[in-house]
Amino acid sequence: MVTIGLMATLHAAPGMEDEVASFLTGGLPLVQAEKGTVAWFCFRIDESTFGLFDAFADEAALQAHLDGDVAGALMGHAGQLLAKPPEIRTVHLLAAKLPA
């Protein structure tokens, strides 16, 4: 069962919208390799605002994700791709419906 999630909102720097979209979608194979990441969603909110939502079974899986390749790459490119630092929040999941 998933118990904890991570929500992030990212604001692309002017003119970097396509690069942010490409960077985020390119992270899918890295996340697929993370055993503890139960669900991962990458989405576009508007032309320059993007979001990520991840779900985990426990705090250890969440921490492994934060210490992993995707988070490291995002923070390493944030200054070039984003207008401001990502807004990242941890959430406690009350209920979820996931594929079996």
Side-chain angles (χ1 to χ4, degrees):
M1 181 174 142
V2 295
T3 61
I4 193 162
L6 196 63
M7 290 185 352
T9 304
L10 301 91
H11 301 276
M16 299 300 285
E17 297 84 0
D18 291 341
E19 286 81 356
V20 171
S22 179
F23 178 83
L24 293 175
T25 58
L28 179 59
L30 297 173
V31 175
Q32 288 174 322
E34 296 177 353
K35 292 183 180 186
T37 302
V38 176
W40 184 80
F41 299 90
C42 169
F43 50 94
R44 190 175 214 150
I45 298 168
D46 60 33
E47 185 59 31
S48 62
T49 309
F50 298 83
L52 296 168
F53 177 77
D54 316 333
F56 310 93
D58 55 37
E59 294 272 350
L62 167 64
Q63 192 58 51
H65 176 73
L66 291 173
D67 293 338
D69 292 338
V70 174
L74 176 60
M75 298 317 277
H77 290 86
Q80 148 192 8
L81 295 174
L82 304 179
K84 60 183 183 176
E87 300 163 15
I88 302 171
R89 304 177 90 170
T90 300
V91 297
H92 296 280
L93 302 173
L94 301 176
K97 179 183 184 248
L98 299 169

